[in-house]
Amino acid sequence: MADTPHPEAQALLELADQLSLPPTYALSVESARERLETLVADQPVEDVANVETYSIPGPETAAADVTIPVRIYEPEGSPPYPVLVYFHGGGWTVGSLDTHDTVCAALTNRANCLTVSVDYRLAPEHPFPAAVEDCYAALEWVAAHGAHLNADTDRIAVAGDSAGGNLAAAVTLVARDYGGPKLVHQGLLYPAVASPVVHDFESYAENAEGYLLEAESVRWYYDQYVQHPVHARNEYAAPLLVDDLSGLPPATVVTAGFDPLRDEGIAYAERLAADDVEVEHRHYPEQIHAFVSLPTTISQGQDELDALGEDLADAFGT
């Protein structure tokens, strides 16, 4: 582990400290959502060939009036395109299509793929398993209707950051367990894959405060999402609980040194490899949580967008 964060990350942390921003766990859900929107509002978004926003039907388990907003990014080039289904981060509680425009547009261009960004239902209004059900429903919708979107449904990958990494991992498990769409890759950016009720890692204590995401905020997010004790050991809520990870698609796992989620991401990468899943694990010892979402502020965020885009392109054969 590095002694201090990367200078660009440190400058961001110092700015946050000067602004005397309260920690997420001390905010209302509404204020936490507004703050994330403000944090990423000035991040530039790369041009792609076309962007459309739709609503698709919700999962069969939801009420008939439940729909899932999706934003579809189309690359330059000739269709059909491989397709990436992306799940945004935000502790299952905050975040939106808008907060992850930068990431989705960048990956669209780098992997030359169609990207479908999924605006799943958020906690606490919609606790687990609503987000997993929405994300899997979106994956099934892409597999069923992708041809109408100029997508090659034989080349589908999933990805997400933080809580979105959790959802990407969960969706790959559901697809494996229930004979769902075949996936060619999963991209997990600093994923939240553990259960605080079951797991304990050194990074929770080492990076408890001062690095953008507090350990107490991790617990706050989890409490919003997993509201019933019976779900604390549910493998789709915490994929690190799964006994056997074999049969999952090849993975990219990204971790950051100054992140409370560091050790659980490392543990998941190691578990995947132990179960004979092909894994590319990239660790950024000087980085903080969410650095990939801030590529113009933190240059290593841009580096990782390039690297993940290359991983996806390789998986797609583009």
Side-chain angles (χ1 to χ4, degrees):
M1 179 175 169
D3 292 332
T4 58
H6 187 280
E8 292 171 339
Q10 186 61 49
L12 177 64
L13 296 173
E14 290 173 359
L15 176 61
D17 188 57
Q18 292 169 10
L19 294 174
S20 300
L21 298 175
T24 301
Y25 62 84
L27 298 175
S28 67
V29 169
E30 292 75 14
S31 289
R33 289 172 179 167
E34 291 171 2
R35 186 164 76 176
L36 179 60
E37 298 283 343
T38 300
L39 177 65
V40 300
D42 295 331
Q43 289 293 311
V45 180
E46 295 180 14
D47 290 333
V48 298
N50 190 45
V51 180
E52 300 284 352
T53 302
Y54 304 102
S55 290
I56 64 173
E60 293 180 357
T61 53
D65 61 346
V66 170
T67 59
I68 306 168
V70 296
R71 182 166 294 165
I72 301 174
Y73 304 75
E74 185 173 354
E76 301 287 350
S78 301
Y81 309 106
V83 58
L84 171 66
V85 184
Y86 194 90
F87 311 120
H88 68 76
W92 310 279
T93 306
V94 307
S96 67
L97 298 177
D98 293 339
T99 61
H100 285 67
D101 259 339
T102 294
V103 171
C104 290
L107 292 176
T108 298
N109 288 333
R110 281 151 186 74
N112 194 35
C113 67
L114 197 77
T115 298
V116 179
S117 181
V118 181
D119 203 12
Y120 52 89
R121 287 172 291 169
L122 297 176
E125 298 91 338
H126 305 284
F128 176 86
V132 175
E133 293 173 344
D134 285 3
C135 291
Y136 189 69
L139 172 63
E140 289 193 309
W141 182 86
V142 167
H145 303 287
H148 299 289
L149 305 172
N150 293 324
D152 179 354
T153 55
D154 289 328
R155 294 184 292 165
I156 302 176
V158 296
D161 60 289
S162 193
N166 166 286
L167 293 169
V171 162
T172 66
L173 290 166
V174 177
R176 180 198 66 175
D177 296 346
Y178 291 92
K182 182 175 175 58
L183 301 170
V184 300
H185 202 76
Q186 55 177 318
L188 312 179
L189 301 173
Y190 26 82
V193 289
S195 170
V197 176
V198 180
H199 301 104
D200 189 25
F201 294 101
E202 290 183 3
S203 58
Y204 295 163
E206 290 178 5
N207 302 320
E209 293 183 352
Y211 301 114
L212 196 64
L213 174 66
E214 307 87 1
E216 185 62 29
S217 292
V218 172
R219 289 186 284 271
W220 182 84
Y221 284 128
Y222 185 84
D223 289 343
Q224 308 303 313
Y225 181 53
V226 181
Q227 297 181 13
H228 197 293
V230 73
H231 295 314
R233 296 179 183 273
N234 189 299
E235 296 173 348
Y236 298 140
L240 196 55
L241 294 172
V242 176
D243 289 333
D244 180 11
L245 297 175
S246 63
L248 294 176
T252 297
V253 180
V254 173
T255 52
F258 291 91
D259 182 357
L261 303 184
R262 179 194 69 207
D263 290 351
E264 63 192 77
I266 293 171
Y268 198 66
E270 292 174 345
R271 283 283 319 283
L272 286 166
D275 286 341
D276 296 322
V277 177
E278 181 182 342
V279 181
E280 176 69 25
H281 175 212
R282 283 189 292 274
H283 181 62
Y284 292 80
E286 296 180 304
Q287 279 309 330
I288 58 176
H289 191 77
F291 74 97
V292 178
S293 291
L294 301 166
T296 58
T297 304
I298 300 177
S299 57
Q300 286 186 327
Q302 190 66 256
D303 294 342
E304 180 49 40
L305 287 172
D306 294 342
L308 180 55
E310 184 174 340
D311 291 346
L312 290 166
D314 289 345
F316 292 142
T318 57

